[in-house]
Amino acid sequence: MKQITVLFSGRKQAAYLLDEAHVVIGRGRSAHIALDGNPIVSRQHAVIREELGEHLIEDLGGANGTFVNDAKINRVRLR
């Protein structure tokens, strides 16, 4: 099972299993990965989707953007 690790300012905050085909990241109640208390995170900030055995992360258009390994992304395959 694949997992995602959430870092903030270089520190590990949490790790989550990617056990669903559609995982929303945000600070809203409907988020699967809730980043509560973080003012730069939108209610629905990004989504991770499984497509053809790969996981893709896509920014959902929040004001602060989504970053993977310090690079701002729109949509990218996770490895």
Side-chain angles (χ1 to χ4, degrees), residues 5-15 35 38 70:
T5 302
V6 178
L7 305 174
F8 186 73
S9 296
R11 293 187 179 158
K12 181 179 176 179
Q13 299 295 305
L35 302 177
N38 189 328
D70 296 321

Side-chain angles (χ1 to χ4, degrees), residues 3-69:
Q3 73 175 21
I4 185 169
T5 302
V6 178
L7 305 174
F8 186 73
S9 296
R11 293 187 179 158
K12 181 179 176 179
Q13 299 295 305
Y16 299 92
L17 290 177
L18 296 176
D19 56 357
E20 296 186 36
H22 180 94
V23 177
V24 175
I25 301 169
R27 60 179 169 83
R29 291 184 183 142
S30 64
H32 298 98
I33 298 176
L35 302 177
D36 297 329
N38 189 328
I40 65 170
V41 176
S42 302
R43 285 187 301 266
Q44 291 194 347
H45 196 87
V47 63
I48 297 174
R49 291 187 178 94
E50 183 178 0
E51 295 181 7
L52 302 172
E54 296 185 330
H55 285 88
L56 304 167
I57 186 168
E58 181 178 348
D59 179 68
L60 293 176
N64 295 306
T66 299
F67 292 78
V68 175
N69 297 330

